[in-house]
Amino acid sequence: AAQSPETWFPNEELTTVGAYYYPEHWDELQWDRDLKKMADMGFEFTHFAEFAWAQLEPEEGKYDFAWLDRAVALAAKHNLKVILCTSTATPPVWLVRKHPDVLKMREDGTQMDHGSRQHASFSNEYYRAYSQKMIAELAKHYGNDSRVIGWQLDNEPASNVDYGADAQKRYRSFLKEKYQTIDALNKAWGTNFWSGTYTDFDQIDIPQVSQWGMNLYQRLDFSRFCDSETATFLDEQARTIRQYASPNQWITTNYIPYYDARYVGDSRELDFISYTRYMVYGEHTGIGREGYRVGEYSRIAMANDYFRPLSPLYGCMELQPGQVNWGTINSQPLPGAVHLWLWHVFAGGSKFTCTYRFRAPIYGYEQYHYGILGPDGVTPTRGGLEYQKFIEEVKMLRDKHASSTVPADYLKRKTAILYDPDNTVAINQNKQTTVWDTEQHVLKYYKPLKSFGAPVDFIRDTMDFAKYPVLIAPAYQQMSRELIAKLTRYVENGGNLVMSCRTGHQDEFGHLWEAKHAEPIWPLIGGEIEFYDMLRPYAPDTVVVDGQKFAWTSWGDVLKPNAGTESWGTYADDFYAGESAVTFHKLGKGTVTYVGPDSNSGDLEQTVLTKLYTKLGIAVENYPKGIVVEYRDGFGIAMNYADEPYEMQLPAGAEILVGEQQIPTAGVLVWKLK
Amino acid sequence: AAQSPETWFPNEELTTVGAYYYPEHWDELQWDRDLKKMADMGFEFTHFAEFAWAQLEPEEGKYDFAWLDRAVALAAKHNLKVILCTSTATPPVWLVRKHPDVLKMREDGTQMDHGSRQHASFSNEYYRAYSQKMIAELAKHYGNDSRVIGWQLDNEPASNVDYGADAQKRYRSFLKEKYQTIDALNKAWGTNFWSGTYTDFDQIDIPQVSQWGMNLYQRLDFSRFCDSETATFLDEQARTIRQYASPNQWITTNYIPYYDARYVGDSRELDFISYTRYMVYGEHTGIGREGYRVGEYSRIAMANDYFRPLSPLYGCMELQPGQVNWGTINSQPLPGAVHLWLWHVFAGGSKFTCTYRFRAPIYGYEQYHYGILGPDGVTPTRGGLEYQKFIEEVKMLRDKHASSTVPADYLKRKTAILYDPDNTVAINQNKQTTVWDTEQHVLKYYKPLKSFGAPVDFIRDTMDFAKYPVLIAPAYQQMSRELIAKLTRYVENGGNLVMSCRTGHQDEFGHLWEAKHAEPIWPLIGGEIEFYDMLRPYAPDTVVVDGQKFAWTSWGDVLKPNAGTESWGTYADDFYAGESAVTFHKLGKGTVTYVGPDSNSGDLEQTVLTKLYTKLGIAVENYPKGIVVEYRDGFGIAMNYADEPYEMQLPAGAEILVGEQQIPTAGVLVWKLK
Amino acid sequence: AAQSPETWFPNEELTTVGAYYYPEHWDELQWDRDLKKMADMGFEFTHFAEFAWAQLEPEEGKYDFAWLDRAVALAAKHNLKVILCTSTATPPVWLVRKHPDVLKMREDGTQMDHGSRQHASFSNEYYRAYSQKMIAELAKHYGNDSRVIGWQLDNEPASNVDYGADAQKRYRSFLKEKYQTIDALNKAWGTNFWSGTYTDFDQIDIPQVSQWGMNLYQRLDFSRFCDSETATFLDEQARTIRQYASPNQWITTNYIPYYDARYVGDSRELDFISYTRYMVYGEHTGIGREGYRVGEYSRIAMANDYFRPLSPLYGCMELQPGQVNWGTINSQPLPGAVHLWLWHVFAGGSKFTCTYRFRAPIYGYEQYHYGILGPDGVTPTRGGLEYQKFIEEVKMLRDKHASSTVPADYLKRKTAILYDPDNTVAINQNKQTTVWDTEQHVLKYYKPLKSFGAPVDFIRDTMDFAKYPVLIAPAYQQMSRELIAKLTRYVENGGNLVMSCRTGHQDEFGHLWEAKHAEPIWPLIGGEIEFYDMLRPYAPDTVVVDGQKFAWTSWGDVLKPNAGTESWGTYADDFYAGESAVTFHKLGKGTVTYVGPDSNSGDLEQTVLTKLYTKLGIAVENYPKGIVVEYRDGFGIAMNYADEPYEMQLPAGAEILVGEQQIPTAGVLVWKLK
Ligand SMILES: [Zn+2]
Ligand SMILES: [Zn+2]
Ligand SMILES: [Zn+2]
């Protein structure tokens, strides 16, 4: 990062809002009208060239930036800053036909084809080379253009799964670099099981993940490799741009917030990261009968809390302005929902939001996707008007001289979730029970924290634990002895650690300990894990905590607390009825809570955390499901994803800036902290 | 067509019945016995050589027609006319092994193999060439044989999906011929979206339909190409036969009535078309607990009403005589059901019915399929006896001096459904909601019409609209401005147009209008379509028409009628409660009714149509579900697919010819019109 | 077999128990400790080298038996006998990379890869050759080592499905050998259907089973070929070992008891066969809410009764010691369940049980699989202790001077089930209704027999029927005239035959009879099969036997008994209400019972069999579901898989050796016969 974030996104501006525009989709006679409209609605930046490689380099080596120059000039004319994209998600057909190997190969040996996007492989040498060459030209041309504020690399880069020859070669190099010797690999992969032993790296193939019994460590390393290819491809792009661009221009990319993606945060050359978030497209039911029109409240919340610790400056690069086209059931969002999401992105600390997209497309794969404007190119959509409203509200807030104050109570309940996507991948490829859902398991801890009104950071094991009074490690399967020692020091020095089932089962290589089950974490727990069980969905069993019953199905660790360790929960059914399910252990100046079962509803986890925070004397709120309250820059923001109005209690004399104290469904309340 | 239909199928014969026979499956000693039996049971024609290429050309270029000559002679001996088939659905193994490319290639690059049928590609040059060569020999041999009355080309020809090299080449030619320039194609395909732009037709591949995001227009054109291959292959066959055959011999083929198949009716060289229809094989539940044994009543009805407008002379080439073997659950048809189906085919105006098949096969893929005779080759099955009964009844009707009279009321309610299979394919590949079902949507308009006792024609946009008092365009998505103008003229001149949701969203290229949503049809509607919505199955909403409530889920257009346009239905739930769902607009001498939602049960559509016909003063019946009544040649035919008896009201003095006035389940009533 | 079974497994030892051990997985320093522990817990043998080809032949032609020598020596030191495995399930990577064709090719042309097990093809010439070479070295080294008692070939050998070039070639040879002439094949395969006719064996491909309409006989012969490849590969292995090994060493393999596998019992060179059985892994619900922890009671019972008639000396080579890792939901078995299964294996007559595996693996694909010891390598698991208990109990029984006495009543109800896996494959590839389940159909006859306390043998048509008072042929679809004659003789001589639906539909080629449906078995039935029907799951119908009603759905033969034949059951619904569903026919000195429907619950079959045995004067028990009682070597064994305790009635003065008369869930009662 060559520049301070403060220069790119000045604190006093709070946030800024922009919109994707595709000059190449529209008659050039309309560009001026469109960009003027964008500026008139209050947008402060636009975003060009996301998928325009064919227009930028129509023939090999023949670059055409003239059209883009004209678009940039028109944006500038209307005081719109410009983000440029590198267009690598859509290679032109001449490249694909000249070098068919750039197309990703699937596990079955078939290759993708031109006609879509993201069909080229980051592992292919030609694709990498042609990409860098084109990006270099782009950076030479726009790298010192002050109208261009920054760069988005590629689009929604994902794990690069490719079975092509180059990927094969690079996978072997990746392994060689990681393990150095074939013996080290054999040991890590446990290849004396089933005669797997290799004598040379060249004998190793990309694993067939659909083949029964395929070596799990080989698969895990392949998944790591695929993620790494994405990370290094972006780093290469960034280095190419930096070679020619001014340090005033920042570089980022826009990730889909997948929680099993190691590449998010793994490209070292980016100035910051951003996410794209779609809320209504047929997958999430939200709260109540019409909740699917508002969306699942944890989805923007968790994206904020996941990205911010990785990159304190972060933004939202795509947020839907209305109905989309690519979902299973593309419903209308509830009026107000787009406005709600904009505030939610803001509430987490984001520095910008960009909407996909300004005009609704009238052809192409995303035909029927809403824009800020409808298909006529001039009429704002309902969501477009909600964007306009948000922009006006933010401008009003800018005048309110924001401070960095947040309430003291809020800070005191700050909680970290110890998380590593590698665990999620590892568990998901070896679940032991079809009922288990890793992401839902984490959410069973995350959602209670949001009901507490707690600020949450998802942190990595390399980060500092000390600043969090409570640290939760849900299903953190792989743990080195060093990490166990670090957790022990954290607790002994006064930290409060919560661990859930599956945590610490395996060492850092993903092997079970040559010990009793999870024995290395027993000193932390202050007890033993006797065994674990998995139930059938038709026959869930029960755990009792303080007289309350909680059903569970997917996983239960059966515990045996040592003398001095409290048992907070007990199994009520089954042949181990009466044995301990939840334990609480004082260790040094801190405590360790272990939660053996994964409850069906998440209410067990809510109850245990409430009990713990009460015991620790940490004051928490008790917001109903769907109510989210956050603080930033001297403002409080309360949001309602629930299916009934919520009456927000405000400190006496709080100045309401947006909304009403009685917050309707999809409503937002913003007030100024005193 | 070299001959008038009247010559081939004289009106006074009403209809004629035949049966498939496969001499090659049986000991030649049995042929005479079998064909005599067929004639004795009343059948008037037989059908040979459907899958006999291996027997007709056992080695390349060596033809053996001797066995077929003997079979034809025996048929003639028993006064059975003969239909000959071209056998192309089953190429011999020597051809497949000599030119492996004749085998269809699937999208994943694998090829089909010998051992089944329909595994060769109509796009393959060798397959086309060898087919024509064999057919030419067949036509030379039998083309002037008066015992042979006509030809069936291939068998149940379907859309020819093939990813082989010849198909690839022909697809490019198809596109070149259609678009002439690559720029025209780029424009039609919207390729400046996602850098899709082509600079040469040779860059274009057959699209991978399973690849996410693949260009929808490329897919649509591929689907059109596949259909076109089928149409032109049949035309080639027909031309080859015509070269050698007498004009006394007609040429047809037997299509499965798929309503997304553009090739049906698209082969210009056929004299007429026919369909195959199977009613009981595990897919359709019919009415009531045992309704699956009778079948879904709209299936023969719609096949009649779909084929007849395309080809006034049409027939049913395959109708099951009993239990089949290839379905998911091959139940016994209800006694009487086979007889019912025969009458239903007749009622629509069909000129012949042929049954698959005379003898039950005792080996081969269709082992367990019933025939007119059982596996012993001599005992008639229950269905065989029902055929015999129908044949006797028809012969009795022939004596009744049929006229062409039909009741005046019946004619007055004649209704057209404007339909183009291209819309069905286009919608199905881009549904926007998984809940949508295009065929069911059309049936929600078709079934009320049958309950009205209305004659129905499925017509194309090139046909004359004026002869229909009511014209319904359900989900007719793509409309040129010319078609909108033609519909406007139809209405202004007194026509009554009904349009349902999705109609007119797109122009003739499948692009949204650069305008407000569906704006070009707003003048017809007399109002605006504000937006559309799609709901989740667990949360259907409600539309109210005249106090009656109707649930809907899949699609709802939200309407805003102009002053003077009536609102017939209102949304009752959701954030647009109170807005209009159904409108009625007087325009010139006619009217336009627009139905915004696709109701769950079809009852909304029934109610709106009833309201409309009442308003228009068109007298309609109100037959219960499963009761179908049609008229032809001076006879009335009432059929009962319902699960209880139906008492048919007959005009005073009507002469009952078949059945009783109280029609039992699976029963038929036929009377002579006065 | 070079030796008498009595020498290998002396009768007075009753049974012997062992455990799999993988020296190659563990630090050599632990081997002595581990094997001592095994011996201390009472195990009498161990099992080495199941998957160790990479360790036995680390480079081509370089054999390393030193490590195995040391392991064998340590086993001997602790008086553990050794079973050696041939390790062929896991070829080393050098072989796979040198000859990639050894990898199985799937139908879609993709190949499996190294990294799992069972990925090499028994049809591949290289794989066969390298396997025999390695096995020869192993046999030379250990063939006369008295510490080694026997050999297990491969591991769980399964039907060898491979589309590779060698398999293709061998399939053609298989067909050529079977049919001799292409005309014979054409006739058997019914290739004059759909122009299938071949003129040369070289034209024949392995059938694409996923291709619609593929010739069913070609598929059936391919399935036979795949099974045959397995059988002959094992025979080759056995012959290679025999060349070098002492006759004191026996040879077996361990099959998964699939009831559609023709290779089980088809390798002629094995001394005996054994099975592997896993009871709790997420698939079987058992009886009651927690029944899934005990397992389905028929699974060990039927494995015993299926293997024993094929191989009077048989054993169980793998039995789970606790939780497994590879199932869908890997629940904890109920305490006692492992002990129960051990007794159940014993009760059927087994000579040994070996457990997979001694130590729980801490890496590799089976990480999380329980062992006799836990992952620390020293602590016995609950299941480990149950093994120890069983071993102690067996040793106690050995002292009880077992006799061969079993109760006379028990012998009198001895029943055979006539079974051929070929029928199961044939039916399953051409079910006619998705609702049909061949294995469940057989179980509907088998389970009543176990409730009767009857000893059951699954026998083949080549075996002697005369020694069984009752013989049941459930859904025995293919029957030669010879078999029908043999069954007729059996009945005429006093046998009591029960046949169920689908039996005798086809001749030995799988063709329907050129006759009325199943007519050749009508004389046996004493009546006619008029037709068969298949129902929809939502509309089951009813059969009445002695006033009791039984629902059926999948298949019903409608019967017409001759005069003198009793009708025992009647259809109550449907258009054939009142017709016969079950008939009873006296023929010569015996009887024939025909059961037309396949009932939903199996209660119809239970009722009919009870009626029959009563009529025949054969005294039967009436054990509740889940109670199994068997006798061997002078002991009675009663086992409880039900969800409530069972009070076992014992003969006066019976000496209880294990358990209590009130048998709890998962409990066992063993007593000495007087
Ligand atoms: Zn994007
Ligand atoms: Zn046909
Ligand atoms: Zn094994």
Side-chain angles (χ1 to χ4, degrees), chain B residues 20 50 155 254 318:
Chain B
Y20 280 68
E50 199 189 21
N155 169 59
N254 61 338
E318 295 185 23

Side-chain angles (χ1 to χ4, degrees), chain A residues 111 113 116 289 293 331 367, chain B residues 205 208 212 510 533-534 540:
Chain A
Q111 278 186 292
D113 200 1
S116 177
R289 195 169 190 274
R293 295 195 191 277
S331 303
Q367 193 189 42
Chain B
D205 282 353
Q208 296 192 15
W212 181 89
D533 196 14
M534 297 164 242

Side-chain angles (χ1 to χ4, degrees), chain C residues 102-214:
Chain C
V102 305
L103 295 166
K104 279 181 195 158
M105 182 177 287
R106 302 184 192 90
E107 184 174 337
D108 66 359
T110 62
Q111 278 186 292
M112 295 197 179
D113 200 1
H114 187 75
S116 175
R117 68 181 196 197
Q118 267 112 344
H119 42 281
S121 170
F122 300 163
S123 295
N124 180 271
E125 296 296 341
Y126 286 118
Y127 178 65
R128 287 211 171 209
Y130 279 83
S131 292
Q132 301 312 324
K133 203 160 148 280
M134 180 270 290
I135 293 167
E137 294 302 318
L138 210 56
K140 285 178 204 165
H141 195 89
Y142 294 107
N144 290 286
D145 187 331
S146 62
R147 301 169 301 184
V148 174
I149 55 170
W151 300 80
Q152 173 195 314
L153 308 181
D154 204 74
N155 170 61
E156 294 180 344
S159 191
N160 188 72
V161 180
D162 175 26
Y163 282 76
D166 280 8
Q168 184 62 266
K169 203 169 58 184
R170 290 170 67 95
Y171 177 51
R172 289 174 183 155
S173 301
F174 171 89
L175 295 173
K176 205 174 289 184
E177 191 171 336
K178 176 170 184 178
Y179 292 109
Q180 301 293 325
T181 70
I182 198 70
D183 282 351
L185 177 142
N186 278 317
K187 192 157 178 235
W189 286 12
T191 56
N192 41 20
F193 193 82
W194 288 354
S195 273
T197 315
Y198 294 97
T199 55
D200 194 297
F201 284 95
D202 287 343
Q203 293 165 333
I204 300 173
D205 282 353
I206 291 178
Q208 296 192 16
V209 300
S210 67
Q211 182 178 333
W212 182 88
M214 185 53 63

